[in-house]
Amino acid sequence: MVGEIIGGDKIGGWMFDLGNTLIRLPECKCEEGAEKMYGYLAERLRVPPNLPELWLNKRKECYERAETDHREYPAEHVLKELLHELGIHAPHEVITGALDKFFELEERSYTILPDVHEVLSKLQGPKVLVTNATYSPLIRRLVERFELTQYFRDVIISADVGVRKPHPYIFEVALNKLGLPPDKVAMVGDTWQHDIEGAINVGVIPIYVGDEEHHSYNVIHIRRLTELLEL
């Protein structure tokens, strides 16, 4: 039982990761997406033909930096900065339209994982979604599409908060939304560094969901979401 594992306390609230915890992340379609984004921008702005390559390189650079400093580099800001470096001004609606094109193929490929609705509907206590993502509109569309909004008090996205898991601040935002102390809240996620280590660092109960073997004191390891109902 959970109480025995974590020293007798009951879980009063929940944080859930999104990708590969509730929905399956598809393979990256970055090259195709970059070409679609270029086509969209080329119809509206004078952009160089090597824009797809420049965009993918800049995204990779920002991702690698984010994995080190745990800041988030929102896609809107990154694209705007890239275009500015090229001497191109783009209105906000063109930036978001271009990013919608970039993520379009990937967005179609997401699928919900088994038993998600059953588990979320049965788990007692308030819940928040806490996810690392560079483009908030994509995440909010996915949450709506898979009818997950009904279960969560709030959807907390790194692109909106400014930092990524495992940075403590994004967990503190989630705790404030739940209105509970960290030792009464569990974080359910599939990524050890982001979800589990981040939870441990702020005193939240860590629940790792996945097949990889990790041995750490007071980390609850499950392989299927339905096991949450048995804790």
Side-chain angles (χ1 to χ4, degrees), residues 196-217:
I196 304 309
E197 291 183 1
I200 291 170
N201 290 340
V202 295
V204 165
I205 301 161
I207 302 180
Y208 170 72
V209 54
D211 294 323
E212 292 183 11
E213 290 296 333
H214 293 277
H215 300 284
S216 181
Y217 178 69

Side-chain angles (χ1 to χ4, degrees), residues 52-63:
E53 179 183 358
L54 296 174
W55 164 247
L56 293 177
N57 287 341
K58 195 164 189 69
R59 268 182 63 81
K60 181 181 178 183
E61 172 193 320
C62 289
Y63 177 78

Side-chain angles (χ1 to χ4, degrees), residues 7 14 34 37-38 57 63 78 81 97 151 181 194 199:
W14 303 85
M37 184 181 78
Y38 169 73
N57 287 341
Y63 177 78
V78 175
E81 181 181 289
Y151 305 116
H194 298 155

Side-chain angles (χ1 to χ4, degrees), residues 139-156:
I139 298 303
R140 298 194 184 280
R141 289 196 297 264
L142 291 171
V143 169
E144 187 70 25
R145 170 177 149 197
F146 293 118
E147 300 180 340
L148 298 176
T149 309
Q150 59 186 311
Y151 305 116
F152 293 104
R153 182 169 289 184
D154 206 346
V155 177
I156 300 165

Side-chain angles (χ1 to χ4, degrees), residues 19 29-30 44 46 57-58 62-63 70 75 78 87 91 101 103 131 150 154 157 167 175-176 181-182 185-186 191:
K29 300 183 183 296
C30 298
R44 294 160 176 81
R46 296 184 64 182
N57 287 341
K58 195 164 189 69
C62 289
Y63 177 78
H70 303 147
V78 175
K101 286 294 182 183
F103 288 107
T131 186
Q150 59 186 311
D154 206 346
I157 305 169
H167 195 288
L175 287 168
N176 286 336
V185 175
T191 305

Side-chain angles (χ1 to χ4, degrees), residues 20 189-190 208-214 221-224 227:
N20 286 338
D190 72 297
Y208 170 72
V209 54
D211 294 323
E212 292 183 11
E213 290 296 333
H214 293 277
H221 185 184
I222 63 175
R223 286 179 165 76
R224 302 181 311 279
E227 293 177 53

Side-chain angles (χ1 to χ4, degrees), residues 99-172:
L99 290 170
D100 285 343
K101 286 294 182 183
F102 175 69
F103 288 107
E104 184 177 58
L105 295 174
E106 177 183 320
E107 184 171 350
R108 294 177 191 166
S109 302
Y110 283 92
T111 55
I112 194 164
L113 289 166
D115 306 312
V116 166
H117 285 286
E118 177 192 357
V119 171
L120 292 178
S121 64
K122 291 181 178 179
L123 278 181
Q124 299 298 307
K127 307 170 190 68
V128 292
L129 196 62
V130 188
T131 186
N132 287 347
T134 62
Y135 192 47
S136 297
L138 170 63
I139 298 303
R140 298 194 184 280
R141 289 196 297 264
L142 291 171
V143 169
E144 187 70 25
R145 170 177 149 197
F146 293 118
E147 300 180 340
L148 298 176
T149 309
Q150 59 186 311
Y151 305 116
F152 293 104
R153 182 169 289 184
D154 206 346
V155 177
I156 300 165
I157 305 169
S158 60
D160 298 331
V161 175
V163 295
R164 298 170 61 85
K165 296 175 293 183
H167 195 288
Y169 180 67
I170 195 168
F171 289 93
E172 291 165 7

